[in-house]
Amino acid sequence: MEKKKVQYAIFVFSIIAVFLAILGYSVRRKLLEEKEIKAEIEKYNKYVAFYNKESFAILGDFRSYYVDTFTNGKGKLKKLKRVDLLKLNTVRQRLNLLDEVISKMETTISEKPEFKNTDNYIAEYLEIIKEEKKLDTEILNYYESGVYKEDNYGSAIFLHSKFLNISRKSNEKYGIYVEVMKTLIKSQKEKEIERLRKKSRKAAMYMVLFINDTEEFSQILFSRKQVDFTKMEVLKLKDLISEMKKKYKNLEMVSDRQIKKEKYSLESYNKIRSYSKEIVNLSEKIIESKKDDEDIYVLLYEFSENYKKIIIEYNKMLESKKQ
């Protein structure tokens, strides 16, 4: 169940990034004649696309393969059997997927406008990805060519030390990169909400605000392997539930006329209202279940599924507007 819980958390955060990219494009499409704004949107979208890619997961998969195949699981190298190398080529092919992704991102970083700090941090993260991928390939070559038999694992010890070091550095850089992206996404959210407010686009604005609160709620909710929140976290979750209730009421108050005026599907908007209501109810049940020490994993699953439905439905609405 814990594995599923982590997967829900990953989905929630990544899907938000996709949503913001699409939203930014949709809301600003009338201003695309302004080259600077258009360039900013396009570059942001590319950053979000990279953020949603499984680059770090590919490296993580290699680490798991390395530990399972070349070590005894306790940090020490082991003697290999032929069967241990059967998956080697599959692992190599997956690593090679990084080449095109890295190349595209290096081009994106150099594009205008400059995203202060963000560009540099992403460039640093790309460098550590390249460094780690190079070492991973070196490890695969060493074992595939059978050199480990010739030198009786002599170089394996050196490669193992390098592997541990690069994994630590990569994790550190990835942590910084995630925080930088969170800041960038937050900044874009604020820009879009302000733009919606100025245009009196209440139907869109209330959906965005509800999703923002739900995202923040979910990040706290899925931040721990065991749902053992601190008192401060419980208070924050309760505050967010109150905010979600307010935003949901605003969603309910939006008139059909306003929804149509903003060119949204009334049917889709009502679906989002329904999912949002369920999210609010589930949020309250989760807090109550935690207080009573009940098993809340079924509720967590239902929460994630309803949130997923909101995002998917909203993305569909935005896509239909672009056509």
Side-chain angles (χ1 to χ4, degrees):
M1 183 60 75
E2 287 184 7
K3 184 177 180 181
K4 288 185 178 179
K5 183 182 165 195
V6 172
Q7 290 173 340
Y8 302 150
I10 292 172
F11 170 80
V12 164
F13 196 79
S14 65
I15 198 74
I16 281 295
V18 172
F19 153 75
L20 283 170
I22 297 173
L23 173 64
Y25 184 85
S26 177
V27 170
R28 296 183 174 186
R29 70 185 188 282
K30 292 183 180 179
L31 301 174
L32 289 181
E33 294 178 1
E34 300 178 28
K35 291 183 179 180
E36 290 184 1
I37 294 178
K38 179 180 178 181
E40 178 187 345
I41 294 168
E42 290 178 347
K43 185 169 182 176
Y44 172 72
N45 286 348
K46 290 175 184 177
Y47 275 175
V48 166
F50 175 69
Y51 184 66
N52 288 332
K53 281 185 180 296
E54 51 183 9
S55 305
F56 191 75
I58 290 174
L59 296 175
D61 287 347
F62 178 85
R63 293 178 200 172
S64 296
Y65 170 76
Y66 179 87
V67 171
D68 293 342
T69 305
F70 306 121
T71 79
N72 61 3
K74 297 179 181 179
K76 302 211 171 182
L77 294 169
K78 70 177 184 182
K79 299 291 184 182
L80 293 181
K81 297 177 182 178
R82 185 175 182 82
V83 69
D84 291 328
L85 300 178
L86 292 178
K87 294 182 180 179
L88 191 145
N89 283 329
T90 300
V91 174
R92 184 191 298 278
Q93 289 171 10
R94 188 158 164 75
L95 274 176
N96 288 339
L97 294 175
L98 291 171
D99 293 337
E100 183 179 0
V101 174
I102 292 170
S103 177
K104 287 182 178 179
M105 279 308 298
E106 287 177 331
T107 300
T108 299
I109 290 171
S110 64
E111 293 174 354
K112 301 296 181 181
E114 176 184 355
F115 284 173
K116 192 174 181 181
N117 296 325
T118 302
D119 290 342
N120 291 335
Y121 280 119
I122 293 179
E124 289 180 12
Y125 179 52
L126 287 181
E127 286 304 311
I128 199 69
I129 289 178
K130 289 194 290 185
E131 188 178 340
E132 184 170 3
K133 195 250 181 182
K134 181 180 178 181
L135 176 63
D136 293 349
T137 302
E138 185 179 350
I139 291 170
L140 293 178
N141 291 340
Y142 172 74
Y143 284 103
E144 185 177 36
S145 63
V147 175
Y148 69 96
K149 296 177 184 177
E150 299 172 10
D151 69 359
N152 195 27
Y153 295 90
S155 297
I157 298 172
F158 174 67
L159 289 171
H160 183 60
S161 177
K162 288 178 69 176
F163 169 79
L164 295 176
N165 185 51
I166 194 66
S167 296
R168 177 186 56 78
K169 287 170 59 179
S170 183
N171 282 335
E172 290 174 357
K173 290 292 183 182
Y174 179 71
I176 295 171
Y177 164 69
V178 168
E179 292 305 312
V180 168
M181 283 302 300
K182 285 181 181 178
T183 300
L184 178 64
I185 290 168
K186 183 175 183 292
S187 172
Q188 290 297 316
K189 284 181 183 177
E190 291 171 352
K191 286 182 180 181
E192 299 308 333
I193 289 172
E194 184 57 28
R195 195 172 293 274
L196 290 170
R197 198 186 309 275
K198 286 181 178 180
K199 291 177 174 288
S200 297
R201 295 188 56 196
K202 294 181 180 179
M205 184 177 70
Y206 291 146
M207 281 191 288
V208 174
L209 290 171
F210 181 85
I211 289 172
N212 286 352
D213 287 339
T214 306
E215 178 199 356
E216 190 173 354
F217 184 91
S218 68
Q219 286 180 345
I220 298 174
L221 196 62
F222 293 102
S223 63
R224 298 173 181 271
K225 291 182 179 179
Q226 302 296 329
V227 196
D228 53 347
F229 303 116
T230 64
K231 290 182 179 179
M232 290 300 295
E233 286 173 331
V234 172
L235 288 174
K236 179 62 176 175
L237 288 170
K238 288 182 176 180
D239 286 343
L240 285 168
I241 290 174
S242 296
E243 288 300 314
M244 288 155 66
K245 284 181 176 179
K246 292 177 185 176
K247 305 302 185 341
Y248 170 69
K249 286 182 179 178
N250 288 336
L251 277 176
E252 286 293 315
M253 291 172 60
V254 178
S255 67
D256 292 355
R257 181 180 179 183
Q258 181 66 29
I259 294 169
K260 291 176 181 177
K261 180 181 178 182
E262 296 183 33
K263 296 182 171 56
Y264 288 123
S265 160
L266 186 57
E267 179 183 359
S268 291
Y269 203 90
N270 284 332
K271 283 183 181 180
I272 288 175
R273 283 169 166 161
S274 176
Y275 302 144
S276 299
K277 182 179 181 180
E278 191 64 22
I279 282 285
V280 171
N281 291 336
L282 286 166
S283 300
E284 292 183 309
K285 287 180 182 178
I286 287 169
I287 293 298
E288 289 302 312
S289 295
K290 179 56 187 169
K291 186 172 66 176
D292 298 334
D293 289 327
E294 295 177 7
D295 186 347
I296 68 170
Y297 291 106
V298 173
L299 296 174
L300 292 175
Y301 174 77
E302 291 178 357
F303 178 94
S304 294
E305 286 299 296
N306 276 277
Y307 190 43
K308 173 182 175 181
K309 289 175 183 176
I310 289 175
I311 302 302
I312 290 174
E313 197 64 40
Y314 191 32
N315 282 344
K316 282 167 56 180
M317 290 168 64
L318 294 176
E319 285 296 329
S320 66
K321 286 184 67 176
K322 287 163 62 177
Q323 294 173 0

